[in-house]
Amino acid sequence: MRVLVTGGLGFIGSHTALMLLQKGYEVIILDNLSNSNPAVLGRINSQTGNKALFVKGDILDVALLKEVFREHEIHGVIHFAALKSVKESIEKPERYHLNNVVGTERLIRICAEQGIGRFIFSSSAAVYGSAASPVTENSGIGEIPNPYGRSKASCEDLLKTTHFQYKKPDITILRYFNVAGAHPDGILWEEAQPDGGNLMSHIIRVASEKTGKLYIYGGDYDTPDGTGIRDYIHVMDVARGHVLALEKQKEGVHTYNLGSGRGTSVLELIQTFQEVNGVDIRYEITGRRIGDISVSYADSTRALDELGWRAELDICDIVRDSWSHSEGGVDMSK
Ligand code: NAD
Ligand code: UD1
């Protein structure tokens, strides 16, 4: 089976592309390199005799998309390509609408016209807004406090509308919670983000620099230790979720949470990082971050029942693998 992976040189896309290749799928990666390093392709392809083909390009480029579908018989699409900074989305909402929503609209329309059978979409826990945790897929989309989350909710809507109109492709929407970790063999990891990135990226920065500190956004939430609670999930588990979703895709549009089902506070994550990796993280508790919610973790029962998926790795694996590639100062440009 030949699969087009948009955003396949990014963090989750690269881990998924490698897993697909290792399982014998043919993989075409389409990525505009706006948030990825071209060297990732070589790292993916060094791991298996089965090589991914790379097309440098943008999902907004309809002529290019048509050419890719004309030149290759594609059976399934996994659509990761998107901008993902909540902070930047508040500063530049139009950019997020254009890239994430209009980009997805162009891609899904061509997929529908081409009669592509399977389509898997990267959605986010962000669509639940401040709905009470654990959230199930039926929890309903809450009031979403940032344009990034709203862009994902809009994409979900337009995917459903397109399926309703064309009856193709069959669509799986995967709502991931807080993805972290790295490939356990040290081949792939999350690149440093222009906005400083997520909590794990900030922990790694503080641990590596040995100067500075981590600012914890809020110590007065209604949680056992007062800090925000999230559901951290290992990128290898998320990648495996995509392979299962592709293999078990059903007719229609189906939505699944990919989370561990366990909430971890900011202080707990720091504590675990320190214990597992034997490094010290200096921190200071400051005010809450605008747009943050108190608690977010998943009920992923549906993914277990229908896809046979559950998180197999825990936060000890996550903090170990996140740190092991950065320890010793791996050159991120290679
Ligand atoms: P990433 O930024 O590492 O990867 C996204 C990739 O898409 C990058 O390689 C980037 O260059 C590419 N890209 C962006 N816009 C593009 C465009 N218009 N055309 C072609 N390529 C484009 O992000 P990630 O963490 O791997 O996330 C992948 C997907 O999962 C995204 O859709 C993101 O919103 C979603 N998601 C991520 C998380 C998380 O915790 N990382 C959580 C929930 C959902
Ligand atoms: C949010 C979205 C998630 C999305 C991600 C993209 C929700 C529920 N989740 O994650 O779906 O994929 O953005 O970026 O909307 N924190 C600190 N100090 C820091 C950084 C973070 O204390 O320096 C805290 C935050 O306040 C939060 C937790 O750590 O409590 C996790 O934050 P972060 O890693 O930024 O991810 P979310 O905002 O949860």
Side-chain angles (χ1 to χ4, degrees), residues 266-323:
V266 178
L267 279 172
E268 272 181 276
L269 191 69
I270 294 171
Q271 187 71 31
T272 310
F273 192 97
Q274 296 186 128
E275 281 169 16
V276 170
N277 296 321
V279 289
D280 192 33
I281 307 293
R282 291 156 309 286
Y283 64 82
E284 179 184 325
I285 297 181
T286 59
R288 293 182 181 193
R289 185 172 64 174
I290 295 169
D292 259 353
I293 57 170
S294 165
V295 178
S296 164
Y297 61 95
D299 178 329
S300 297
T301 309
R302 188 189 283 176
L304 178 61
D305 290 347
E306 297 185 19
L307 301 177
W309 178 92
R310 66 147 54 99
E312 289 175 355
L313 301 167
D314 64 15
I315 58 164
C316 294
D317 300 304
I318 291 174
V319 297
R320 184 199 59 232
D321 293 339
S322 294
W323 177 237

Side-chain angles (χ1 to χ4, degrees), residues 237-258:
D237 277 330
V238 177
R240 191 168 45 80
H242 290 78
V243 177
L244 285 168
L246 200 60
E247 285 168 356
K248 302 200 170 182
Q249 186 135 31
K250 295 189 294 189
E251 247 177 55
V253 182
H254 298 272
T255 304
Y256 301 96
N257 286 340
L258 294 189

Side-chain angles (χ1 to χ4, degrees), residues 2 8 20 35 42 44 74 94 96 98 125 134 160 167 174 194 227 229 243 250 263 267 280 299 321:
R2 189 173 296 116
L20 288 167
N35 196 35
I44 294 172
I74 290 168
E94 308 79 16
Y96 276 67
L98 178 65
K160 287 173 191 158
K167 306 289 176 262
L174 298 177
T227 66
I229 288 181
V243 177
K250 295 189 294 189
L267 279 172
D280 192 33
D299 178 329
D321 293 339

Side-chain angles (χ1 to χ4, degrees), residues 84 86 124 126 178 198-199 202 215-217 230 289 292:
K84 65 169 175 177
V86 170
S124 166
N178 292 59
N198 54 24
L199 175 59
H202 284 284
Y215 291 97
I216 297 181
Y217 301 136
R230 295 291 184 273
R289 185 172 64 174
D292 259 353

Side-chain angles (χ1 to χ4, degrees), residues 6-14 30-37 57-60 79-84 99-100 103 121-125 148 152 174-180 190-191 193 198:
T6 75
L9 293 188
F11 174 42
I12 307 172
S14 59
L30 176 82
D31 198 305
N32 66 1
L33 301 178
S34 61
N35 196 35
S36 47
N37 179 343
D58 202 296
I59 52 165
L60 287 162
H79 176 34
F80 292 104
L83 299 170
K84 65 169 175 177
N99 196 77
N100 294 4
F121 176 65
S122 298
S123 190
S124 166
Y148 165 76
K152 290 292 175 184
L174 298 177
R175 292 176 178 161
Y176 333 137
F177 284 66
N178 292 59
V179 188
E190 182 169 25
E191 299 280 339
Q193 297 299 300
N198 54 24

Side-chain angles (χ1 to χ4, degrees), residues 65 73 108 111 146 166 173 184 200 223-224 251 255 260 285 299-301 310:
L65 291 177
E73 194 188 349
I108 191 64
C111 289
N146 56 70
Y166 291 86
I173 293 169
M200 185 62 78
T223 60
E251 247 177 55
T255 304
S260 70
I285 297 181
D299 178 329
S300 297
T301 309
R310 66 147 54 99

